[in-house]
Amino acid sequence: MSDHALRLLREQPHLAELAAFPFNFDLTRADHGEAVRLASDGPLEAVAGDDTGGTYFVCGDGSVLYADSEGSAGIIGNSVDEALEVLVGLPGWHDYLGLAPADGEEKIRAAVAETEEEIREYHGIDDERTELRAGLGLPERSPVELIGLLHAALLRTEPDFLLLNAEEGGAHDLLDRHPRPPLWETVLARGRTDLTLLRAGSAWDEVAGDRARRALALRAAQFDRREGDLPLLRHLLRHEAEASMTDELRLAAVLVGLHGCAEDLPLLYEVRETDFDTWCGLGGMPEPDADPAELRSWARGLDDSLFGTDPADEPLFTWTGLAREQGLVELARAALIRRLDDIDFRAYRDARDGKAMERRDASQLSSLVHEFEQLGDTFQALRAQRLYVPLQTRAWDRVSAVLRLARLEREEGRFGAAIRTLASLRDTLAESDGAGGVGGSGSGSGSDKSLGHWQRTNLGAYIVEEHYAVARTAATDTALADEVRAVTVAAGELLARLSGTARANVERHLAGTTDTHTDSRTDIHTDTGANLDAGVSAEPTPPQPSAG
C-alpha cells in the first residue's frame, strides 16, 4: 500500500492546494471534531478533511476510511494513492455511492458526465485534474475503472473497518447501501465445503476431530439434508459427544433421529448417558428398545422447536458464536455491535416517548454481554450491561446485574464508576434488609423477599469478593483514596454478615488472590435466588419467588 501521493502533498504546498480545491482533500481539515476509533482497535490516523465536515483516515493496512459529518463511514481506497485516484478522477464521487460495475458502462459514464457538467458551472476541474495527476504520478483511469475501485473498497468496510464513536461505542452507518451477504452465509461457507468433503468420503477424521469444523459441518447438514448423510452424521455425533452438551450435539442427535432407524437408538442412548449435562440436554429421548416411529417423532419435535431448514431463522448468536470459533472475530463483533445499536436506539426512542424499554430486549442484552466478553470486548459488554440493569425488577436479579456491571467497570479501568455501582448495590441490599443495612438506608422492599437470605448464598460471597477486587485495583488511583477506604470498610462489614461457611470460603479465596482480577463467578444467573454451590454454604436456604 503506497502513501507516495500523501508524502508529495505534505512536501509541496501547491499540490496540496490543488488537492484541497477543487478536489476537496484538504490536509488542513484533519480534525474530525469528535473522538472515533475502529471497533477492532486498529490504528487510525486522520490525514485530511473536506468542506462538508468529512474526514479521511488512514488505517493500519494503508486503507483510507472516509467518515462524513452525518455518522456514516466507508473505505474509499486501498491506499492514499488509490483514494486520490478516485477523488481526482471522480470529483462528484459522493453521488456515485450507489453505482456498481454491474450497472454497465453507459449508465456510469452518463452519471459521471452529468455531475461533472454541474461542477464546471462553478469552477474548473479538467486542467486541475491533469496537473494534479501529473504532480502526484497518478494514472489516468476511465470512470468505469474508478467506479470499480470505489465499489470494491466500499464493500471492504465491514467488518474490519467498522467505525465507532469512541465515547458512546455506537457504530457509524455504512457510507453506501450496496447489499452484503448475510452473516450466516459467510460463517457457513467452510461448513458447506467440509460437508461436501464428508459426502465424498474424504476428511472424516479431520473434520470430526476439529470442534469448529465439526460444528459448521453439522450446521451445513442442518440446512442441506440428504438421505445418504446418516453414516457421516453418526460419525459427527460420536465426536461431538466428547464436547459434552452443546447445541450442535442436540442438532446431531436430531438429524440422526429424523432418519428413524432402530439401530441408532443404542448410539443415541449412549450419547445421552455421556454425562449429567448430556442426560439433561437430551431429555425425553426414547429408550433403546423404543419403536423407530417414536424416535422420529422425538426428533421432529425438537427440530420444529429448535432448528429447522432455513439459516435465516437461526438466532444471531448461533452465527456469531460459530464465527468466533472460526477466528472471524471482527465479523462477529460487527454483527453484535449492530444488534446492540438497534436495542440502544429503541431504548432511546422509548425513553423519549415516555415508554418503558421492552422486556423482550432483556434476554438479548444478557446474551450480548456474554458474547462480547467471549470476544474480549469489555467496552461493548459494559455498554450492553448498562442497558440490561434497568430491566431487572426483582431485587435478586437487580443485584446480580449490578454486580456484573461493577465487575465490567472495574475491568475497563473505570474505578470511580465501579465504586458508585457497588454503593447502589448496597442500597438495594439495605432496602431488602428493611433496617438500614450496610452502606445505605431503606424501609424494606415490600413483597419482594428474593434477597432475604443473600448472606447464605454464592451471591453474597461474590458481592464481598467484588468489593475487595475493586478496592485493590482502584488503590492505584490516588484521587480515589477516600472512596477506596469506604469500599474497603463496606467489604469488611459485608464479609462479617456472611454465614460462617460462606465467610470462610471467601476468606480462603481472598487469601489465594495474587492479582487484581476476580474470576467470572460474579455473573449470577438464576431464577431461584438460592444459587447454592457445595462448599460455599452448607446452610439451607428457603425457596425464593421465581423471576416469572
Side-chain angles (χ1 to χ4, degrees):
M1 299 302 176
S2 171
D3 62 353
H4 172 72
L6 182 59
R7 289 200 306 272
L8 289 175
L9 291 179
R10 286 170 169 168
E11 294 168 359
Q12 301 186 36
H14 175 63
L15 292 180
E17 290 173 6
L18 271 179
F21 183 82
F23 301 106
N24 225 353
F25 185 86
D26 191 342
L27 299 182
T28 68
R29 294 179 180 266
D31 182 6
H32 189 56
E34 67 174 6
V36 293
R37 66 178 181 85
L38 294 178
S40 65
D41 272 336
L44 194 67
E45 179 192 4
V47 296
D50 62 24
D51 59 10
T52 69
T55 308
Y56 299 93
F57 297 90
V58 176
C59 304
D61 69 343
S63 297
V64 175
L65 179 73
Y66 174 79
D68 67 21
S69 59
E70 304 299 318
S72 298
I75 295 293
I76 62 168
N78 292 335
S79 65
V80 176
D81 289 12
E82 186 176 292
L84 282 167
E85 282 188 54
V86 171
L87 300 183
V88 175
L90 300 172
W93 69 273
H94 290 276
D95 295 336
Y96 314 141
L97 293 173
L99 287 176
D103 291 316
E105 181 174 352
E106 183 178 350
K107 181 177 179 179
I108 291 173
R109 288 188 179 278
V112 171
E114 180 181 357
T115 303
E116 293 196 353
E117 281 304 311
E118 293 175 358
I119 294 174
R120 291 186 185 97
E121 293 180 6
Y122 298 97
H123 54 77
I125 55 173
D126 298 306
D127 292 341
E128 293 83 353
R129 177 156 49 200
T130 299
E131 183 178 359
L132 189 55
R133 275 175 171 165
L136 297 179
L138 302 178
E140 183 175 347
R141 297 185 190 271
S142 72
V144 177
E145 289 180 280
L146 293 172
I147 289 296
L149 291 175
L150 177 60
H151 177 71
L154 289 168
L155 291 181
R156 292 180 51 238
T157 304
E158 201 164 307
D160 293 325
F161 303 100
L162 183 63
L163 191 66
L164 306 181
N165 178 291
E167 296 292 330
E168 299 173 0
H172 283 55
D173 293 330
L174 289 172
L175 197 60
D176 68 281
R177 294 295 180 266
H178 294 300
R180 268 78 169 174
L183 174 65
W184 62 261
E185 187 173 303
T186 305
V187 174
L188 204 55
R190 178 65 182 274
R192 286 171 163 169
T193 299
D194 279 343
L195 182 59
T196 299
L197 290 174
L198 293 172
R199 285 171 173 164
S202 303
W204 274 40
D205 290 336
E206 291 88 337
V207 173
D210 184 302
R211 164 72 186 116
R213 293 180 68 180
R214 183 174 67 242
L216 286 166
L218 282 166
R219 289 294 176 177
Q222 175 186 349
F223 306 116
D224 180 14
R225 305 180 183 194
R226 298 186 187 179
E227 203 58 41
D229 283 348
L230 185 54
L232 69 89
L233 291 173
R234 290 168 177 159
H235 188 67
L236 294 174
L237 173 63
R238 289 188 181 94
H239 281 77
E240 188 62 24
E242 298 172 4
S244 189
M245 192 60 232
T246 63
D247 288 340
E248 283 71 38
L249 178 65
R250 187 180 287 110
L251 171 61
V254 166
L255 293 176
V256 169
L258 286 171
H259 286 79
C261 295
E263 58 265 36
D264 287 323
L265 281 164
L267 168 62
L268 290 166
Y269 183 79
E270 178 187 343
V271 168
R272 189 188 73 175
E273 298 298 308
T274 301
D275 55 36
F276 180 73
D277 288 337
T278 56
W279 185 85
C280 294
L282 297 175
M285 179 186 291
E287 297 299 315
D289 58 352
D291 186 272
E294 187 179 348
L295 171 60
R296 189 180 288 110
S297 175
W298 170 81
R300 282 175 178 166
L302 281 180
D303 191 29
D304 290 343
S305 62
L306 297 177
F307 300 110
T309 59
D310 187 350
D313 292 338
E314 281 291 322
L316 169 71
F317 304 111
T318 296
W319 302 119
T320 55
L322 291 170
R324 172 169 41 80
E325 288 189 14
Q326 289 186 78
L328 302 175
V329 172
E330 295 313 318
L331 185 68
R333 192 197 314 274
L336 293 167
I337 290 173
R338 293 293 188 193
R339 177 62 58 86
L340 179 55
D341 283 352
D342 289 342
I343 296 174
D344 200 357
F345 176 74
R346 286 200 299 273
Y348 164 77
R349 183 191 59 200
D350 290 343
R352 181 197 61 194
D353 297 340
K355 296 190 298 185
M357 190 173 175
E358 296 183 22
R359 290 287 305 171
R360 67 186 173 91
D361 288 330
S363 61
Q364 286 204 59
L365 286 167
S366 180
S367 296
L368 282 166
V369 174
H370 173 75
E371 287 296 311
F372 280 126
E373 288 203 88
Q374 291 295 106
L375 293 174
D377 195 335
T378 310
F379 179 84
Q380 294 292 346
L382 177 56
R383 183 178 160 220
Q385 188 68 9
R386 286 194 185 117
L387 290 171
Y388 179 75
V389 168
L391 297 177
Q392 309 313 303
T393 57
R394 195 173 64 127
W396 176 280
D397 299 328
R398 190 162 58 253
V399 165
S400 299
V402 169
L403 180 60
R404 191 180 202 181
L405 178 63
R407 176 177 63 79
L408 290 169
E409 289 171 334
R410 169 174 61 81
E411 291 178 354
E412 267 291 288
R414 305 184 184 200
F415 303 135
I419 290 171
R420 291 189 293 273
T421 296
L422 289 179
S424 72
L425 184 155
R426 297 195 299 276
D427 286 341
T428 302
L429 293 180
E431 291 171 5
S432 178
D433 293 340
V438 178
S441 61
S443 56
S445 54
S447 59
D448 186 348
K449 305 299 183 184
S450 60
L451 280 172
H453 300 274
W454 65 268
Q455 303 93 332
R456 291 187 280 170
T457 67
N458 281 339
L459 178 59
Y462 302 157
I463 289 170
V464 173
E465 290 175 5
E466 185 59 34
H467 274 71
Y468 280 117
V470 168
R472 284 195 306 274
T473 52
T476 60
D477 188 340
T478 56
L480 294 173
D482 291 341
E483 289 86 347
V484 169
R485 280 192 289 271
V487 80
T488 303
V489 170
E493 294 175 352
L494 289 167
L495 178 63
R497 298 186 64 195
L498 295 183
S499 68
T501 304
R503 183 168 60 253
N505 279 278
V506 170
E507 290 171 342
R508 188 159 47 247
H509 172 75
L510 293 174
T513 301
T514 57
D515 58 26
T516 58
H517 280 61
T518 59
D519 55 36
S520 60
R521 296 185 305 156
T522 53
D523 300 338
I524 315 299
H525 300 287
T526 176
D527 288 332
T528 66
N531 201 43
L532 290 169
D533 284 344
V536 173
S537 175
E539 300 179 24
T541 300
Q544 301 295 329
S546 69

